[in-house]
Amino acid sequence: MASLSSCRFAATASVIAMAMVSSSAFAQQAAQEPQGQSGFGDIIVTAQKRAQNLNDVGLSITAASGDQLQSLGVQSAGDLAKITPGFTFTKSQDGTPLYTLRGVGFNDYTLGASPAVSVYVDQVPLAYGAFTQGATLDLERVEVLKGPQGILFGQNSTGGAINYIAAKPTRTFEAGGQLSYGRFDTIDGEAYISGPIGETLAFRLAGSVTNAGAWQYNYTRDDKLGKQDTLRGRFQLEWKPSDMLTLLFAANGWRDKSDTQAGQLQGLFLQIDEAAVAAGGLFDPAETARRIAVFRGLDPAPQNARAANWDSDRDLGRDDSFYQLSMRGDLELSDDITLTSITAYSKYKEDYSVDRDGTTLKNAGVNANGNVKSFSQELRLSGDMGRVNWLLGGNYAKNKVFSANDILTGDSTNTAILAGGPWIAASTTTITQDIEDWAVFGNAEFELTDTLTVLGGARYTRSKNDFTSCMRGDFGMQTTFGVLSDVLSGTPGAPADAGTCLNMDAATFELIRTPFAATLKEDNFSWRVGVNYKPSRDVLIYALASRGYKSGSFPTVPASTTAQF
């Protein structure tokens, strides 16, 4: 898939930060300085990778404190839709979160497909949507930046960026927690402890747990589904060996052993109906007609959001986990120049099963197994030179992705292809992606007068994605695709076995037999320019034009031919 770019132009006014924050219900102090003559506390944000009063930042930002997030029930990134106009959250059919801001998103839940709305914790990237489950734990605040953020937050931020700021270690002892009980025996608990370890060290440890009973019920038998079982944790250690140097180590992680969600049968849309069966074609007429009759006899789900049906012989649970280790260092080279380094390593694992078709038939069952290893490094210099604030830096990232999806289709109406069988019951699509990115960027703001500031920034990015894919299958799959290949290519080939890649070459229709390989190379130049006019302390009028970059990706697809990649 080719890369996508996004360009946004904005012109607006901010009065006492209200236009920048979505609602007075949560437009309170994320962090405060003494109140000025306006009577409003200053909301401090780091949307431009330095601490600023929100009313001095010419960006469209939604900001909320950790206490406000808790009071509004914001427990995941998807819950940000409660406080952020223009933000939408969709859970894919396999449970992966998909985020959209102002209509800009990327509707692909493939493991290794980067979102168009990027997510960070303390400026450390969570490269894929599946990583973000534990991001809302023990927060100081959250900042949602709308529009392309490609200069300071990198590629894949064409829709915007979500930056969580975790609560930091304290120099005095603190501890706290909360516990709630709800419907379906839901127990939510969260606690933290923070304090000093000597004169130069401080720590903070936070954790949360969610346990709940099943909420879906089976309307054809006595069975339930939908339990929740998640654990989340974060440990931080801050070391200040001198006034010039601060080091912050963080370890974040979560584990999810919840059930997946079953689909609801609402109706049938057959690719091959009774008329097509009577007319004949490339399928077994008798077996196809029998399968259609079975589906016709099924009762659709009642009009109840909790009612569903699913396979009785499969464990529809998860065993997913994630951890991330990061180190941030800030070294003040002088009173006006700071060197910042952010290093992070992440590892994600998924192992789950889901029933998409909402029946007890093997029609669209999925077993998924995959993992991601991710490394990122950012190095930047920032400083002030009188009326000029500037920043220069570079990024490097490497992501190694493995994903294998089993598709169960033993009862499907369109897999009884060969007359008399054998028929297709299961196939497995395996992909790997080796993704490497690097970028250099810069940004500067010039105060032309006490009330007028102009700004500009640019980033150059290069990206390389080495991809492989292979579809293997059971004996019915091997035989069916072997026959199709022989018929379409006109050249009989060797029999396929369990290790044969059954995708067909787009030109010759021969089985590729070994994994399909491709490389996507991209480069991009992103930019932003703007002007801020601040006629008084409480009023900001700004105009901004920015362009971001969304990298391309390869899908996880059981491709019949290589053209589908």
Side-chain angles (χ1 to χ4, degrees):
M1 181 175 290
S3 64
L4 305 174
S5 63
S6 178
C7 187
R8 291 290 181 271
F9 297 87
T12 187
S14 173
V15 180
I16 318 177
M18 287 185 177
M20 308 291 286
V21 182
S22 302
S23 165
S24 59
F26 53 88
Q28 306 295 327
Q29 294 93 326
Q32 290 189 340
E33 296 176 351
Q35 294 183 352
Q37 295 180 353
S38 67
F40 285 80
D42 292 332
I43 303 172
I44 306 303
V45 297
T46 53
Q48 300 191 108
K49 294 193 174 179
R50 71 181 194 273
Q52 292 178 280
N53 185 336
L54 177 60
N55 207 34
D56 292 336
V57 183
L59 290 171
S60 180
I61 305 173
T62 293
S65 71
D67 290 341
Q68 291 154 2
L69 296 174
Q70 286 186 354
S71 66
L72 292 170
V74 177
Q75 297 180 327
S76 67
D79 291 335
L80 291 175
K82 298 178 180 180
I83 64 172
T84 310
F87 177 85
T88 57
F89 160 74
T90 302
K91 182 181 289 187
S92 74
Q93 56 188 341
D94 290 347
T96 304
L98 304 173
Y99 307 125
T100 300
L101 267 168
R102 291 177 169 174
V104 180
F106 190 52
N107 189 21
D108 186 354
Y109 54 88
T110 295
L111 193 59
S114 297
V117 177
S118 55
V119 181
Y120 299 80
V121 175
D122 290 333
Q123 301 178 20
V124 178
L126 298 175
Y128 304 109
F131 291 7
T132 63
Q133 182 176 137
T136 56
L137 173 66
D138 191 33
L139 296 178
E140 177 185 314
R141 67 183 183 278
V142 65
E143 302 166 7
V144 182
L145 318 179
K146 300 177 182 179
Q149 306 296 323
I151 307 307
L152 299 181
F153 288 92
Q155 66 185 54
N156 305 319
S157 298
T158 47
I162 302 170
N163 190 22
Y164 292 101
I165 292 84
K168 298 299 185 294
T170 55
R171 294 296 164 177
T172 57
F173 179 80
E174 295 181 4
Q178 60 178 6
L179 185 68
S180 65
Y181 177 82
R183 193 180 181 193
F184 306 113
D185 295 323
T186 302
I187 297 175
D188 274 313
E190 183 173 329
Y192 77 92
I193 183 171
S194 177
I197 310 175
E199 295 184 358
T200 61
L201 276 176
F203 81 98
R204 189 179 187 98
L205 177 64
S208 69
V209 59
T210 300
N211 275 286
W215 64 274
Q216 286 192 305
Y217 72 88
N218 194 294
Y219 64 91
T220 67
R221 64 180 188 274
D222 185 16
D223 201 359
K224 292 184 177 181
L225 186 69
K227 69 177 178 66
Q228 295 184 68
D229 181 3
T230 63
L231 294 173
R232 297 170 291 275
R234 175 180 294 127
F235 173 74
Q236 296 178 90
L237 187 65
E238 185 181 66
W239 183 36
K240 292 180 67 69
S242 71
D243 293 339
M244 307 295 288
L245 177 63
T246 302
L247 297 174
L248 179 66
F249 169 78
N252 307 291
W254 54 262
R255 183 269 290 161
D256 186 357
K257 292 192 175 182
S258 305
D259 289 342
T260 58
Q261 182 176 335
Q264 282 189 323
L265 177 64
Q266 297 295 324
L268 297 176
F269 297 90
L270 298 171
Q271 292 178 309
I272 301 173
D273 60 16
E274 291 87 345
V277 171
L282 189 63
F283 48 82
D284 184 305
E287 178 61 18
T288 301
R290 184 195 69 79
R291 296 185 182 195
I292 290 175
V294 172
F295 274 95
R296 294 287 193 199
L298 295 175
D299 294 325
Q303 295 301 308
N304 186 318
R306 295 178 55 205
N309 199 357
W310 56 88
D311 297 344
S312 60
D313 59 348
R314 298 175 61 215
D315 178 9
L316 300 178
R318 293 184 174 275
D319 188 5
D320 301 347
S321 62
F322 171 78
Y323 73 83
Q324 182 180 74
L325 307 175
S326 66
M327 175 67 79
R328 172 170 176 159
D330 291 283
L331 176 62
E332 295 183 17
L333 301 177
S334 70
D335 291 341
D336 301 320
I337 300 177
T338 301
L339 174 66
T340 300
S341 171
I342 301 177
T343 308
Y345 175 79
S346 309
K347 187 173 182 179
Y348 169 80
K349 180 185 74 70
E350 65 180 20
D351 185 1
Y352 65 86
S353 299
V354 64
D355 191 337
R356 296 174 177 172
D357 55 62
T359 75
T360 58
L361 301 175
K362 299 296 189 296
N363 179 58
V366 175
N367 299 322
N369 179 272
N371 62 76
V372 180
K373 297 177 181 178
S374 178
F375 172 81
S376 65
Q377 173 66 55
E378 178 172 315
L379 193 65
R380 65 178 188 258
L381 275 173
S382 59
D384 287 294
M385 298 172 56
R387 290 183 173 271
V388 180
N389 180 279
W390 57 271
L391 182 149
L392 294 171
N395 294 99
Y396 174 80
K398 188 173 182 65
N399 298 295
K400 296 182 70 70
V401 180
F402 167 81
S403 178
N405 285 352
D406 302 330
I407 310 297
L408 308 180
T409 56
D411 298 315
S412 178
T413 60
N414 62 352
T415 57
I417 298 176
L418 301 181
W423 301 308
I424 300 170
S427 65
T428 301
T429 295
T430 302
I431 71 165
T432 66
Q433 296 189 74
D434 191 348
I435 307 168
E436 190 171 26
D437 307 310
W438 66 263
V440 292
F441 60 90
N443 188 74
E445 297 186 20
F446 302 85
E447 289 187 18
L448 300 180
T449 69
D450 292 340
T451 59
L452 184 64
T453 301
V454 296
L455 60 92
R459 174 185 287 257
Y460 177 74
T461 304
R462 296 198 69 175
S463 178
K464 180 183 179 183
N465 185 345
D466 293 321
F467 166 84
T468 70
S469 183
C470 176
M471 178 179 67
R472 301 178 176 91
D474 61 3
F475 182 67
M477 188 82 168
Q478 298 162 26
T479 305
T480 299
F481 271 74
V483 170
L484 290 176
S485 175
D486 291 347
V487 171
L488 295 173
S489 68
T491 305
D497 58 28
T500 302
C501 294
L502 302 173
N503 318 84
M504 293 181 287
D505 183 270
T508 67
F509 293 101
E510 297 281 357
L511 298 182
I512 62 173
R513 299 192 176 272
T514 58
F516 171 83
T519 297
L520 176 64
K521 295 181 179 180
E522 299 175 286
D523 64 337
N524 175 263
F525 179 78
S526 298
W527 51 264
R528 73 170 184 166
V529 293
V531 58
N532 297 335
Y533 177 58
K534 196 169 177 58
S536 70
R537 179 185 184 278
D538 299 324
V539 175
L540 172 68
I541 301 171
Y542 72 90
L544 178 70
S546 61
R547 186 174 182 86
Y549 160 57
K550 171 72 182 72
S551 63
S553 72
F554 292 94
T556 300
V557 58
S560 299
T561 76
T562 55
Q564 292 174 269
F565 294 125

